[in-house]
Amino acid sequence: MNTWRRKQMHSHIYRIPEPFRNEVVIVIGNSMSGQDIAIELVDVAKEIHLSAKSLDISEGLSKVISKYDNLHLHPLVESLQEDGRVIFIDGSCITADTIIYCTGYSYSLPFLDTKGIVVVDDNRVGPLYEHTFPPSLAPSLSFIGIPRKVIGFPFFESQAKWIAQVLSGKRTLPSCDDMMQSIKEFYHSREVAGIPKHYTHEIADFEYCDRYADHVGFPHLEEWRKELLISTLRNAQVNLETYRDSYDDDELLQVAYQSPHFTQFGTQAFTTP
C-alpha cells in the first residue's frame, strides 16, 4: 500500500460518487458497504472492479454485475504496484485511479488509558463481561455499543439501562471472579464453535439479545423486528439494487406501526399522501 502512489481511502470517508467520475476504481470487500458503493459508482465511474474473498456471490450481486458492463468481479488483491497496477491472486491486472477499502472496522481506544486492563487484541475488546463491564474496573467503567450484528438501538438501550441501574444501586453485578469466569466461558464457547477472535463481538443471535435484556428487565425483541430484519436480509440477497424500495413485508410494517415506538407519533406520521 505504501508503494501505490494513487488515491486510496477507506469506505468510512466515502460520501458521494461524483469525485470518481470517469475513474477506474477498485473496491476491496463485497460486504454491505462494498456492494453499496460499487452500485453507486456505476453511473459515474469508467470501471468498477469489486475484489471479493469469494467469487461465490449472492443472486442479488450477480444480477447487478450482469446488468452493468462497467462492473466487474475479481478475487483478492495480491499486490499493488508503484505504477498504478493492481494485481489479483488469479494473475489478472488492472491499472486503477483509486482504491476504496471496504474492509470493515477495527476497535481503537487511543483516548482510554486503563494501564493495560482493557486492551484490543485482534479486534476483541476485553475482558468485558457481557460486552459491557471490565470486571476489575466495574461499574465505574463500562462500554456501550461494542457488539455488532445486533438490532442496534434496542440492544444499546438495554445496555444503557443496565449500566444506569448498576450505578444507581438498583442492580448489582456478580463478583469480579464470577464475571471473569463468565468471560472465559464465553471465549471458550466461541473458540469451540470455530469463531475467530476478531469476531468476538459479532452477535447475530436473537436469543442472546433477549437474554441480555433479561439483565435489566428490558423487553425482548418483538417478533416483528426479528421478522423484518430476516425479510430485509433475504430480499437483499435476491434484489440487491432495489430491496430498500421494493419489499413484500408491508403486513409486518403495519404491526410495527401499532407498537408504542410508533403510536406516540400519531397515525398521520406513517401514511402516504
Side-chain angles (χ1 to χ4, degrees):
M1 291 171 63
N2 291 333
T3 65
W4 205 78
R5 301 302 180 186
R6 303 188 181 190
K7 185 165 60 178
Q8 302 181 67
M9 59 186 289
H10 191 271
S11 57
H12 82 277
I13 299 174
Y14 174 91
R15 293 295 179 270
I16 57 175
E18 185 58 35
F20 306 93
R21 182 167 294 278
N22 298 322
E23 288 192 355
V24 176
V25 181
I26 309 290
V27 177
I28 299 181
N30 75 323
S31 191
M32 291 299 186
S33 58
Q35 293 176 6
D36 283 349
I37 289 174
I39 291 172
E40 282 202 356
L41 292 176
V42 292
D43 291 329
V44 299
K46 180 180 179 182
E47 298 174 12
I48 306 100
H49 298 271
L50 185 61
S51 171
K53 286 183 178 179
S54 171
L55 301 184
D56 182 16
I57 58 176
S58 69
E59 179 183 348
L61 181 56
S62 180
K63 286 180 181 178
V64 174
I65 292 173
S66 299
K67 179 179 178 181
Y68 296 102
D69 292 336
N70 61 339
L71 179 58
H72 310 278
L73 182 67
H74 296 268
L76 292 174
V77 172
E78 181 176 87
S79 64
L80 306 179
Q81 303 298 311
E82 192 170 357
D83 60 3
R85 288 179 299 145
V86 177
I87 301 175
F88 300 93
I89 59 174
D90 63 356
S92 61
C93 176
I94 298 294
T95 299
D97 300 295
T98 299
I99 297 175
I100 303 177
Y101 296 97
C102 303
T103 48
Y105 297 83
S106 298
Y107 297 99
S108 178
L109 306 169
F111 52 84
L112 181 64
D113 181 10
T114 62
K115 311 302 181 186
I117 294 175
V118 178
V119 299
V120 180
D121 177 16
D122 193 14
N123 229 27
R124 171 188 285 174
V125 183
L128 295 181
Y129 176 61
E130 299 288 5
H131 306 274
T132 306
F133 290 103
S136 62
L137 297 175
S140 59
L141 180 64
S142 56
F143 295 78
I144 296 175
I146 294 290
R148 299 159 58 187
K149 295 192 176 180
V150 293
I151 302 181
F153 291 122
F155 190 94
F156 302 146
E157 184 179 355
S158 67
Q159 279 192 299
K161 287 190 173 184
W162 186 28
I163 293 166
Q165 289 173 353
V166 171
L167 291 174
S168 66
K170 294 180 179 178
R171 289 184 185 265
T172 58
L173 293 171
S175 69
C176 181
D177 288 343
D178 286 346
M179 286 192 284
M180 285 300 303
Q181 182 60 34
S182 175
I183 294 168
K184 291 176 182 177
E185 290 173 358
F186 174 72
Y187 288 169
H188 179 69
S189 70
R190 304 284 277 188
E191 184 179 344
V192 169
I195 301 172
K197 181 186 292 186
H198 57 270
Y199 293 140
T200 294
H201 304 294
E202 290 196 359
I203 306 302
D205 183 344
F206 291 141
E207 183 179 343
Y208 177 84
C209 295
D210 288 342
R211 288 203 313 272
Y212 195 98
D214 289 339
H215 284 301
V216 291
F218 195 71
H220 287 186
L221 291 170
E222 303 92 335
E223 287 305 310
W224 60 261
R225 283 191 194 271
K226 300 175 184 178
E227 291 177 27
L228 271 175
L229 175 61
I230 293 170
S231 173
T232 301
L233 293 174
R234 187 185 301 119
N235 194 6
Q237 286 290 308
V238 179
N239 304 301
L240 181 60
E241 197 172 12
T242 61
Y243 77 95
R244 291 182 175 91
D245 304 307
S246 176
Y247 44 85
D248 58 3
D249 48 22
D250 189 64
E251 289 184 6
L252 289 173
L253 289 175
Q254 298 310 314
V255 174
Y257 292 158
Q258 300 307 311
S259 75
H261 302 279
F262 295 97
T263 54
Q264 61 181 308
F265 298 109
T267 57
Q268 297 303 311
F270 305 101
T271 55
T272 303

